[in-house]
Amino acid sequence: MSTLLITGGAGFIGANFVAYWRRSRPADRIVILDALTYAGNFDSVAPLCDDHTCKFIRGDICDAAAVQALFRKYDFDVVAHFAAESHVDRSIYASQVFTRTNVQGTHVLLDAALTAWKSSFDGRRFHHISTDEVFGSLGPDATPWTELSRYDPKSPYAASKAASDFLVRSYAHTHGLPVTITNCSNNYGPYQFPEKLIPLMILNAVTGQKLPIYGDGGNIRDWLFVEDHCAAIALVLRQGRLGETYNIGGGRQIPNIEIVGLLCDEIDRRFAENQSMPARFPDCPAANGESTRALMTFVKDRPGHDRRYAICADKLAHELGFRADTNLADGLARTIDWYLANEAWWRRIQNGAHGDWIKLHYGVET
Ligand code: NAD
Ligand code: DAU
């Protein structure tokens, strides 16, 4: 039995990971540390939590005294560090909090682990969840990034994640801290905060709002269903070589305009197949037999918008035998179904303070 500290466990990927780990290793003890920022949502993990095997603690990873106290109280074997400010657009408008959480917060956790584990690193692992955005932006014909590709972050978000990766590596090199890092491509799936492309498009579509496509819609992302990301992280936690970095990707590159079109078509199909949909969502064009694609609207581009991401995940496949199970069509269908089945979850977000930010930035500007 192991004891895991999962930071950011009330966020999108963190919550999916807690559920994944609870299913696959029910005897392990989990402590979730999450500040419940706008992106954190206790509802996403509440059903998984109790006071013994999965404990939720609201707290800030930048609070060194509190983090150290936590390490003294629980003898963590593993840290899975998800907590971060994660949205590129927000890092364009206000980036200081990105440096604080992503760099300083990671630094606080590294120090706490080093202090708590200094008598012996045996059986310990500090796993840092990072992003492919540290590598920058690819040209149309460039080969996908490997673990050896040069760091070239372009947004304040990506720069803060790159800095945190370097800090993690430095603690391994200087202090011998047992670390692993994964750099993953774009995730989608249940519990994603609806400021990110896929959930934003699904919810705007069913509620009949415009679907804002930045620039010419030709930017390419490499999409991975979140459960596959969780499976890959779990594999690295169990078998990843200490000191190593592993890329994780979906192997499915697609321009934004195409993925939004796929979502629209899938939503149209839901309306055609399910007679309750028009009554639930009367403002969606599909409620009147029109195509949801009519809502697609080009808006001004994201400043510094990275053109293309593509990940080479061969190392993970060859060393640890990882293969993503979910193809894009199935993953998108499951994601749409989850949002349709969990309206209360997203309505609370839309009706709360952050609904205003989402409307302001993604509402109707053309
Ligand atoms: P998210 O924004 O949905 O969740 C982040 C979580 O961290 C929230 O629960 C939030 O409350 C918590 N948090 C933020 N600041 C905190 C602080 N100071 N102290 C404690 N908790 C804090 O993010 P996500 O999409 O789930 O991403 C999780 C991790 O995975 C991040 O490190 C991100 O960089 C990385 N990542 C994300 C993607 C993606 O596509 N979403 C892809 C690759 C890597
Ligand atoms: O690649 C991994 C990264 O993927 C993670 O590290 C980040 O945490 C995560 O947010 C994501 O970053 P992106 O910027 O790629 O994701 P986002 O969902 O914000 O945007 C995806 C693409 O869609 C991007 O090219 C911008 C575009 N976009 C996004 C929104 C929100 C639009 O065209 N319209 C939109 O309204």
Side-chain angles (χ1 to χ4, degrees), residues 154-310:
K154 305 286 191 193
S155 71
Y157 161 69
S160 70
K161 291 297 291 188
S164 67
D165 290 11
F166 285 138
L167 267 174
V168 173
R169 289 183 188 182
S170 80
Y171 270 63
H173 181 81
T174 307
H175 301 292
L177 195 73
V179 309
T180 37
I181 300 177
T182 44
N183 293 86
C184 189
S185 64
N186 286 63
N187 283 216
Y188 67 100
Y191 298 110
Q192 188 166 28
F193 193 83
E195 63 185 351
K196 306 281 169 68
L197 181 75
I198 288 182
L200 181 82
M201 294 297 154
I202 295 171
L203 301 191
N204 274 18
V206 295
T207 55
Q209 298 173 67
K210 288 186 177 164
L211 308 180
I213 295 167
Y214 298 166
D216 64 2
N219 301 67
I220 291 172
R221 296 293 183 266
D222 175 347
W223 292 98
L224 181 70
F225 191 59
V226 65
E227 265 181 31
D228 286 326
H229 188 188
C230 293
I233 293 170
L235 197 58
V236 172
L237 288 185
R238 288 195 296 264
Q239 296 171 30
R241 282 186 296 136
L242 292 173
E244 292 294 316
T245 290
Y246 296 89
N247 281 355
I248 309 174
R252 182 66 167 88
Q253 298 169 48
I254 180 167
N256 294 338
I257 189 131
E258 282 184 32
I259 202 160
V260 175
L262 289 177
L263 287 168
C264 291
D265 297 346
E266 197 64 31
I267 287 168
D268 289 348
R269 230 186 322 277
R270 296 290 181 290
F271 276 81
E273 287 167 358
N274 185 337
Q275 288 176 353
S276 72
M277 289 289 284
R280 281 182 70 192
F281 302 109
D283 297 324
C284 180
N288 300 313
E290 290 157 29
S291 167
T292 304
R293 283 179 182 250
L295 295 173
M296 287 165 72
T297 308
F298 290 103
V299 299
K300 77 173 182 313
D301 209 353
R302 170 188 279 176
H305 197 175
D306 289 339
R307 190 66 183 170
R308 173 173 166 244
Y309 301 155

Side-chain angles (χ1 to χ4, degrees), residues 125-157:
R125 180 187 296 265
F126 186 108
H127 181 70
H128 180 57
I129 286 88
S130 192
T131 170
D132 61 358
E133 295 197 18
V134 298
F135 298 119
S137 180
L138 284 169
D141 303 319
T143 52
W145 293 304
T146 71
E147 289 77 2
L148 299 176
S149 297
R150 189 170 68 92
Y151 273 35
D152 188 18
K154 305 286 191 193
S155 71
Y157 161 69

Side-chain angles (χ1 to χ4, degrees), residues 12-13 15-17 19-20 23 187-191 224-234 248 322-326 331 334-335 338:
F12 162 48
I13 305 173
N16 278 282
F17 184 78
Y20 184 92
R23 279 198 304 276
N187 283 216
Y188 67 100
Y191 298 110
L224 181 70
F225 191 59
V226 65
E227 265 181 31
D228 286 326
H229 188 188
C230 293
I233 293 170
I248 309 174
F322 178 76
R323 198 176 48 87
D325 279 341
T326 314
R334 284 172 67 181
T335 304
W338 187 86

